[in-house]
Amino acid sequence: MIFLRYESFRVYLRSYPITSAIIALNMLFFIFVALNGGTTSGENLYRWGAFLTFHGDPYGLEEPWRYLTSIFMHGGFQHLLFNMFALLVFAPPLERLLRPVKYAVFYLLCGLLGNLFSAVIKVMTEGGNGEFVHLSVGASGAIYGIYGAYLYLSLFRKAWLDDGSRKTVYMILGAGIIYSVILPTIDLWAHVGGGLAGFLMYGLFDRAMVRRQRVVRR
């Protein structure tokens, strides 16, 4: 199974530099916020970069940098632990497949588009009441983008994943969506948006790769 990690710490850092850097940034930012007001206060999370939309700015465009900073923030240690474990285990094969630079762009875009998709859905469902407020943090949108890429591989490049890995992808996505629906504190639409972004973007990468191979063969 491609998701089993056997590397030593040193080999992991050398083999997956972008994933290692992302995990480190999340942990350092978490420690910084924890030491400067705490990581469970919405007011303090907003102070340090949580993604915020409200009735007067439904898409968060007045402070667009929050689209990025919120991806590296977490509300509480359990939130951080779950997301960092997911990155540690599931991100490396995709980084190796896409290569570091493309993978970094992919990861950030999934997180950004997850936030945007969530804002759009919130506006459509709640924005008309004049009291719409939405505050969110977490790497989950970007992580679901990684899952979305694996879903594409599971459906259209089955030979690239073993049976156990494909089943793991289906199980994680299914359980994740159910979990997101059950717990109201989880931003379901950021997960869905990130997953869709990852699925579609990896599809574009895959088609571009196929076209390049055809040109070379000619």
Side-chain angles (χ1 to χ4, degrees), residues 101-163:
V101 174
K102 187 182 292 185
Y103 165 73
V105 173
F106 173 90
Y107 180 88
L108 292 175
L109 282 177
C110 286
L112 296 174
L113 291 171
N115 279 336
L116 179 60
F117 188 82
S118 178
V120 170
I121 295 298
K122 292 289 185 179
V123 169
M124 291 174 60
T125 58
E126 303 175 24
N129 60 14
E131 301 175 355
F132 168 70
V133 175
H134 174 54
L135 182 76
S136 67
V137 294
S140 300
I143 291 170
Y144 269 78
I146 294 172
Y147 296 155
Y150 287 133
L151 179 61
Y152 182 94
L153 290 171
S154 297
L155 295 175
F156 301 110
R157 292 287 181 264
K158 292 184 178 181
W160 294 16
L161 295 177
D162 57 272
D163 288 340

Side-chain angles (χ1 to χ4, degrees), residues 36-102:
N36 289 274
T39 62
T40 58
S41 164
E43 182 178 352
N44 196 55
L45 291 173
Y46 168 72
R47 175 189 178 195
W48 294 113
F51 181 62
L52 177 70
T53 60
F54 54 93
H55 188 68
D57 183 23
Y59 301 108
L61 298 179
E62 290 185 5
E63 296 177 318
W65 50 271
R66 294 181 181 274
Y67 274 90
L68 179 64
T69 54
S70 62
I71 300 172
F72 296 92
M73 299 184 71
H74 289 84
F77 181 72
Q78 188 179 50
H79 189 201
L80 175 75
L81 182 64
F82 285 163
N83 280 347
M84 293 308 97
F85 177 79
L87 279 175
L88 182 74
V89 174
F90 296 106
L94 190 64
E95 178 173 354
R96 177 170 289 177
L97 191 60
L98 291 178
R99 305 299 183 186
V101 174
K102 187 182 292 185

